[in-house]
């Protein structure tokens, strides 16, 4: 866990934001991936896994001391809110958590076969999600997100 990056859980309205936070190296669980749509389930998940709750629901935020209430609707605005709240928002040096499912990713060996959508690992560093098998690399999407974060 990189310094200053607490494990998080995001409510059902914050799915897109979760993907960004994972690219920044956060262990960012998403309510709907975890079957925790109801407030009580979400609070229980935060409690049992020691995750900080990010929510757009004011009354829910009031039920947990370290919760972060987000008021904005759009992801860039939400990222600005988090930055103002002291969250580190730079891409991690290497992908750590799957943007799709939040499981840890692992490096793909240079000689391993990769799916058609992914580059050749002999030429480009590629990572694979341990759970869902999605492959990641630092391509144009990575650069786009880096630029967007730098512009906050
Ligand atoms: Zn995955």
């Amino acid at each position: 866990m990189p310094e200053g990056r607490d494990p998080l859980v995001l409510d059902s309205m914050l799915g897109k934001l979760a993907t960004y936070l994972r690219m920044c190296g956060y262990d960012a669980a998403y309510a709907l991936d975890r079957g925790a749509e109801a407030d009580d389930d979400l609070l229980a998940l935060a409690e049992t896994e020691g995750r900080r709750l990010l929510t757009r629901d004011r009354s829910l935020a009031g039920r947990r001391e370290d919760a972060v209430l987000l008021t904005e609707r759009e992801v860039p605005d939400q990222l600005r809110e988090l930055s103002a709240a002291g969250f580190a928002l730079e891409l991690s040096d290497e992908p750590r958590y799957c943007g799709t499912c939040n499981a840890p990713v692992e490096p793909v060996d240079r000689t391993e076969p990769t799916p058609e959508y992914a580059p050749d690992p002999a030429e480009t560093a590629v990572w694979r999600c341990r759970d869902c098998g999605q492959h990641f690399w630092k391509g144009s999407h990575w650069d786009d997100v880096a630029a967007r974060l730098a512009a906050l």
Side-chain angles (χ1 to χ4, degrees):
M1 180 72 44
E3 203 176 327
R5 281 163 165 74
D6 296 330
L8 307 172
V9 58
L10 282 74
D11 80 15
S12 58
M13 293 180 283
L14 298 172
K16 271 196 227 163
L17 183 64
T19 305
Y20 276 83
L21 290 172
R22 290 165 186 164
M23 290 183 75
C24 290
Y26 285 91
D27 171 357
Y30 175 48
L32 297 190
D33 289 342
R34 301 294 305 273
E37 202 167 349
D39 287 1
D40 288 340
D41 293 342
L42 203 48
L43 290 166
L45 178 62
E47 177 67 29
T48 55
E49 297 187 8
R51 295 178 180 277
R52 202 163 171 198
L53 175 65
L54 270 54
T55 180
R56 290 194 53 220
D57 183 326
R58 187 171 295 276
S59 66
L60 183 58
R63 292 175 62 187
R64 202 163 161 82
E65 204 175 331
D66 66 352
V68 180
L69 177 67
L70 295 173
T71 59
E72 299 286 354
R73 278 177 183 280
E74 301 298 328
V75 169
D77 298 326
Q78 291 169 345
L79 288 167
R80 247 174 251 121
E81 281 191 291
L82 286 177
S83 178
F87 281 73
L89 295 177
E90 308 91 38
L91 290 180
S92 44
D93 294 337
E94 296 183 357
R96 308 172 68 91
Y97 296 99
C98 174
T100 305
C101 79
N102 199 46
V105 301
E106 59 193 2
V108 173
D109 192 82
R110 292 170 62 83
T111 58
E112 279 185 80
T114 45
E116 215 164 277
Y117 66 80
D120 180 351
E123 289 165 13
T124 307
V126 178
W127 291 264
R128 178 183 44 227
C129 173
R130 284 186 204 167
D131 271 11
C132 76
Q134 176 89 30
H135 285 62
F136 299 91
W137 61 98
K138 295 191 202 173
S140 56
H141 178 59
W142 185 270
D143 295 337
D144 288 351
V145 172
R148 229 169 287 169
L149 292 171
L152 288 178

